[in-house]
Each structure stands twice: as structure tokens, then as C-alpha cells.
Amino acid sequence: MSDLPTLPVTFRPGRTRAVLLTAGVAIFVVITTVAFLLEQLSPGERLSFIFTAALLAGVLALLARVKVVADESGVTVVNIASKRRLDWAEIIQVNLRPGDPWVFLNLSDGTSLPALGIQPGIAKERAIADARTLRALAEARSTRDLP
């Protein structure tokens, strides 16, 4: 198991994150600039432009926050609006099937948890490698915890 990464390790869609954050900044700058260039706008209207720009940038930042963090005791899955901590023993299977938008974790309670931090969107090969690494970590850690 020497090919497993040293823990803790963080999986996140790096290129997608860069695109989302860059777009958020660009949208904020463009809309704010337009608000100040339109001379006929009142201060309240300018403020509403800036508020809308900040809201759009905030939504893109939320989309960019997704990640999966694996450490010695388990995995933390951070999705768009939620965060969940799992022990290694809770993860039965790590799935990334063809056509899946992201990794799904099959859990010991019979549910499935989407892990948006590993998604094949822009970087398919990277996502596949990350899914395999997380799968190997889960298999190694869950068997180690058995009596």
C-alpha cells in the first residue's frame, strides 16, 4: 500500500474551481463597473447592481468550495451547502461510473452520499485517478479497522 498518498489529502476539482472563482471575480468587476459608468443610475440603483454582482459571485464561490478531505480517522465531504464527516468504516464503496457527474459514496446505513469534490467535468482523468485513490484509501482503512 505504499502507493497510497500521505494523509491528510484533499481532493477538489482544481480547474473547475479556478474557472468558477475567476468567473465570479470577473462578473463582480464587470457589473460593478457598469453600475458606476451608467450616470443616470441613482445611488440605490448602483447599490442594487453591486449587491446583485456580489450575490452572483457568492453563488459561484459556493459552487467552488466543494472538496473531499481524507485523514487518518475518516473523510470530510464538503458539498455546495453541506458538510459531512464520515468514519472510514462508514464508507462501503466509492463509485464513479461512466456518466456520473461526481463520485458517490455508498454508506453503511444504506444511503449514498454525493462527493462533489471529485467530478470529471473539465479534468476527467484527474477525477478518475482521485476516485481510485479514495477507493484504495477506503478499502485499506476499512479493512484495517476490522477485528
Side-chain angles (χ1 to χ4, degrees), residues 18 21 26 85 89:
L21 293 175
R85 178 74 185 161

Side-chain angles (χ1 to χ4, degrees), residues 5-13 65-71 76 78 117-118 126 130 137:
T6 305
L7 296 178
V9 64
T10 300
F11 303 101
R12 63 175 41 169
R65 79 185 273 258
V66 299
K67 65 183 175 180
V68 177
V69 180
D71 59 33
T76 302
V78 179
I118 303 175
R126 171 70 187 264
D130 287 351
L137 284 167

Side-chain angles (χ1 to χ4, degrees), residues 108-140:
S108 59
D109 66 2
T111 63
S112 182
L113 176 68
L116 280 64
I118 303 175
Q119 52 182 270
I122 297 174
K124 184 177 182 178
E125 295 79 22
R126 171 70 187 264
I128 291 169
D130 287 351
R132 285 182 179 145
T133 301
L134 184 58
R135 182 180 300 129
L137 284 167
E139 288 171 359

